[in-house]
Amino acid sequence: MQLGMIGLGRMGGNIVRRLMNKGHSCVVYDAQPDSVNQLASEGAIPSQDLVQLLDQLTSPKAVWVMLPAGPITESTIATLGEMMSAGDIIIDGGNSNFQDDVRRAKTLAEKGIRYIDVGTSGGVWGLDRGYCMMIGGDKTAFDHLDPIFKTLAPGVGSIDRTPGREGRQSTAEEGYLYTGPAGSGHFVKMVHNGIEYGLMQAYAEGLDILKCVNQEVIPAERRYDLDLADITELWRRGSVVSSWLLDLSAISLAEDPELKAFSGRVDDSGEGRWTIQAAIEEAVPADVLTAALYARFRSRQDHTFAEKVLSAMRKQFGGHQESKKS
């Protein structure tokens, strides 16, 4: 199947590679020519601009936008909306606010252009592991693009089936799911990221407690010099708190037990804030998720080992670098 891709960063580039590895044809564009040239050398069809990208796609044209949420995504989708025709498909696979999706879908529908919002999880590991995708928008577009989603998803793999799901007709077990109308995909991904904040904070605080038990303020007989790299590795083996985030923490601590490469400054990309805003609108208590977001705010003022753990996890799963102090 053919797909156009705009944005060839950490995730966009690897999405193209995973698709090409499974026989799909990808027409690519990025503002950085080097990124386009690199993927062209691997088999993608290069484009110098959006006009050339669209000219090289067959109808119905499907274009995946994988750019940072905000003005650049907004302007790119608006431009595509002016250039594309009825029946074509625009996919936003970034982390846009779900309310923007609702508005865009309505505007594009007036021209007959179908809009899909894809909450995409998988980070820099997605090329090999696959991407978990939460997909909202036009159902006919989702059905048309099913071969793309099926290729990008991790598949059933070796995970045991959940008891009680027998007879369900769903793609969830394969790692992708149509969640409903426009915005629902990014809404589910937004809450997913809010939960991620809480999980990461719990690991970070727990590891900080383990590290700080060796302080002089603690009575000598209760002072333990614990190997956090070994403890996180231990917890990966049969523990109830095992998870991929713990796997990534174990990798970071094995590489750098003191996490000296990290200052502990932890950024947030917006979804955590939007999750809390949704909780307020719905009058849903979200104590843990709110506290986790505020901990990230605090990290930009002073840094603990817990914040270094958070920074290390973000680098492992998403390739995120710490930003410099302003």
Side-chain angles (χ1 to χ4, degrees), residues 70 74 92 96-105 115 274:
E74 193 68 45
D92 179 6
S96 291
N97 188 302
F98 73 98
Q99 297 180 71
D100 292 333
D101 296 315
V102 175
R103 171 179 48 79
R104 292 175 192 153
Y115 182 80
W274 301 337

Side-chain angles (χ1 to χ4, degrees), residues 1-2 57-63 84 86-89 114 144-145:
M1 191 171 187
Q2 188 187 52
L57 293 171
T58 56
S59 296
K61 301 176 182 183
V63 178
M84 297 175 75
D88 290 343
I89 303 168
R114 297 175 287 176
H144 177 76
L145 294 169

Side-chain angles (χ1 to χ4, degrees), residues 3 5 7-22 26 28 35 38-39 42 64 66 120 122-131 151-152 317-319:
L3 181 74
M5 176 65 73
L8 306 176
R10 288 190 301 262
M11 289 185 68
N14 280 343
I15 286 174
V16 169
R17 292 184 177 96
R18 186 170 174 90
L19 289 172
M20 292 193 302
N21 287 344
K22 298 298 177 66
C26 293
V28 300
S35 299
Q38 176 58 47
L39 279 165
E42 299 174 36
W64 186 306
M66 201 66 178
T120 313
V124 296
W125 299 75
L127 174 60
D128 298 319
R129 289 172 54 104
Y131 300 91
T151 297
L152 291 175
F317 71 69

